[in-house]
């Protein structure tokens, strides 16, 4: 497999098995599973996983991996649980607690984290949950695992399993005064400043079928419902299944009150959108699962919006000012207007020819 497909955290996760420190069992649960050369080399037989990020989930499903609901895992069902935890603390702790609940008695939980993404903190977390933990450093990552005789702090495990549970967040900036959220989704505890800037300039005469590309927990869609009385229907597209479930809950009441049909789609917008719309609102992502900037994602969102709009349809887009989206906008739209620039962000209105 090409070097570009190497995944240091995944390589570190499998190091204890490659080094003969641990034995690979017949069944394995892989939380936040990712495709990578190291696991291809070992094989996928007996592995099931979880992955809420649609592009990665699709890659795993193409390989034949069965994906489970992360919030409804079988208890004590697996002799081995592998974990690649996210960066957000509460979300990561909840995932570690779920791993300890899912591992069979005498089984092993193995976790790997890059050194610059909180490896020592996650190792300390597992040591709080489990009385016996071994550690190794490899590939600029730390890999740590529970020993066969490890005992688990059941009270802390139960507490942390709820650490990223959905909850209501009071917020005067949101129509209705609050929103349903959970740790780990984008802007989980606030209204994103760029999205708020876009919402403030949305024209009241947006009408017809509207889409929100990269909808997150639904803030822009809530604002469209509140500000645009001529909306006939609203479609939300989001790659993070956890965020999309929140968006569906957040939109249910306002959409029902307005009698506006709402559909949610767990979808990788960068792969294109089949439906056709009269207007699109969008705060495109510029990171994927890693930390580095991915302006190609924003350009892919712009291209998808251009294809999904009907002639004369409008794209309302907000982005960081430095991101190079002008060529993509010029290629896909007949008219492009800079509406505002403020606080490091730019708002663009683009009309399909």
């Amino acid at each position: 497999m090409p070097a570009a497909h190497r995944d240091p955290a995944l390589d570190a996760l499998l190091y204890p098995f490659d080094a003969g420190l641990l034995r690979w069992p017949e069944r394995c649960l892989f939380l936040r599973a990712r495709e990578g050369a190291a696991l291809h080399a070992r094989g996928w037989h007996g592995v099931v996983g979880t992955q809420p990020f649609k592009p990665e989930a699709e890659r795993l499903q193409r390989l034949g991996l069965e994906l489970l609901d992360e919030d409804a895992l079988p208890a004590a069902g697996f002799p081995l649980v592998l974990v690649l935890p996210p960066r957000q603390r509460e979300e990561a702790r909840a995932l570690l607690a779920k791993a300890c609940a899912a591992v069979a008695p005498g089984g092993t939980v193995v976790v790997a984290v890059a050194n610059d993404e909180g490896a020592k903190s996650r190792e300390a977390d597992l040591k709080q949950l489990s009385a016996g933990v071994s550690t190794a450093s490899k590939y600029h990552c730390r890999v740590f695992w529970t020993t066969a005789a490890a005992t688990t702090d059941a009270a802390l495990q139960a507490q942390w399993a709820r650490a990223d549970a959905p909850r209501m967040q009071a917020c005067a900036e949101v129509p209705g005064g609050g929103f349903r959220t959970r740790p780990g989704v984008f802007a989980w505890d606030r209204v994103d400043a760029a999205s708020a800037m876009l919402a403030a300039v949305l024209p009241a005469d947006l009408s017809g079928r509207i889409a929100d590309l990269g909808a997150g927990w639904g803030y822009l869609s809530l604002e469209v419902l509140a500000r645009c009385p001529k909306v006939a229907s609203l479609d939300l597209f989001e790659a993070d299944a956890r965020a999309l479930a929140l968006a569906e809950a957040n939109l249910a009441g306002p959409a029902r009150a307005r009698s506006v049909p709402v559909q949610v789609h767990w979808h990788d917008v960068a792969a294109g959108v089949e439906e056709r719309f009269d207007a699109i609102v969008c705060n495109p992502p510029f990171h994927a699962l890693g930390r580095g900037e991915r302006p190609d994602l924003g350009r892919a969102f712009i291209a998808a919006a251009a294809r999904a709009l009907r002639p004369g349809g409008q794209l309302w887009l907000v982005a960081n000012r430095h991101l190079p989206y002008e060529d993509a906008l010029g290629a896909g739209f007949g008219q492009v207007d800079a509406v505002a620039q403020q606080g490091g962000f730019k708002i663009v209105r683009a009309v399909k020819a």
Side-chain angles (χ1 to χ4, degrees):
M1 180 162 291
H5 290 269
R6 302 304 305 193
D7 182 332
L10 179 59
D11 292 347
L13 187 68
L14 299 183
Y15 168 74
F17 305 95
D18 297 335
L21 302 174
L22 293 174
R23 183 180 63 84
W24 189 265
E26 292 185 0
R27 297 183 67 241
C28 168
L29 171 64
F30 190 173
L31 301 181
R32 302 297 171 92
R34 297 203 295 261
E35 180 194 7
L39 203 52
H40 275 285
R42 177 161 292 277
W44 296 90
H45 178 72
V47 181
V48 298
T50 72
Q51 179 50 260
F53 186 56
K54 182 65 170 179
E56 193 61 49
E58 288 181 332
R59 282 190 281 271
L60 294 168
Q61 288 172 325
R62 284 194 293 269
L63 294 168
L65 188 75
E66 179 187 358
L67 294 181
L68 305 181
D69 181 351
E70 199 168 271
D71 292 326
L73 297 171
F78 299 90
L80 172 64
V81 181
L82 304 174
V83 190
L84 289 175
R87 288 194 297 271
Q88 207 280 333
R89 186 183 67 174
E90 286 81 7
E91 185 185 10
R93 284 180 167 179
L95 203 65
L96 294 179
K98 291 170 185 176
C100 290
V103 73
T108 306
V109 175
V110 185
V111 185
V113 183
N115 291 336
D116 61 355
E117 293 192 1
K120 289 186 177 180
S121 295
R122 298 293 77 79
E123 181 185 355
D125 287 343
L126 187 62
K127 286 180 176 178
Q128 287 190 66
L129 281 174
S130 178
V133 174
S134 299
T135 304
S137 295
K138 202 72 175 173
Y139 312 119
H140 304 290
C141 301
R142 293 177 79 83
V143 54
F144 35 98
W145 61 93
T146 59
T147 59
T151 57
T152 301
D153 185 331
L156 186 62
Q157 176 185 306
Q159 176 187 336
W160 280 5
R162 301 187 296 271
D164 74 335
R167 77 283 308 265
M168 287 300 299
Q169 174 83 26
C171 182
E173 300 171 81
V174 176
F179 59 97
R180 191 165 178 79
T181 186
R182 68 188 299 183
V185 303
F186 175 68
W188 76 272
D189 57 351
R190 66 193 188 281
V191 171
D192 172 62
S195 293
M197 183 177 165
L198 176 57
V201 300
L202 287 177
D205 62 355
L206 285 184
S207 61
R209 193 177 182 197
I210 313 298
D212 183 351
L213 303 187
W217 53 257
Y219 169 71
L220 279 176
S221 289
L222 285 169
E223 291 286 357
V224 167
L225 283 178
R227 296 169 180 266
C228 309
K230 297 179 182 179
V231 171
S233 67
L234 190 54
D235 285 68
L236 286 71
F237 295 83
E238 172 56 49
D240 181 354
R242 300 167 81 252
L244 189 65
L246 298 167
E248 186 172 24
N250 285 327
L251 270 290
R256 189 162 51 247
R258 283 272 314 274
S259 298
V260 175
V262 170
Q263 293 189 45
V264 298
H265 309 268
W266 185 38
H267 186 73
D268 176 13
V269 172
V273 174
E274 296 297 326
E275 293 84 349
R276 294 295 175 263
F277 299 97
D278 299 295
I280 289 173
V281 297
C282 184
N283 180 359
F286 60 99
H287 297 94
L289 288 180
R291 271 185 178 170
E293 285 192 2
R294 290 280 308 278
D296 59 301
L297 284 176
R299 290 192 290 266
F301 268 58
I302 291 167
R307 291 191 297 269
L309 282 168
R310 297 186 175 112
Q314 301 178 52
L315 168 65
W316 286 82
L317 174 98
V318 64
N320 289 56
R321 192 184 300 185
H322 71 279
L323 291 173
Y325 292 159
E326 282 68 26
D327 288 347
L329 287 162
F333 294 89
Q335 177 183 342
V336 179
D337 299 315
V339 175
Q341 295 193 42
Q342 181 181 332
F345 305 116
K346 56 187 174 187
I347 293 175
V348 174
R349 171 184 176 268
V351 180
K352 186 171 180 177

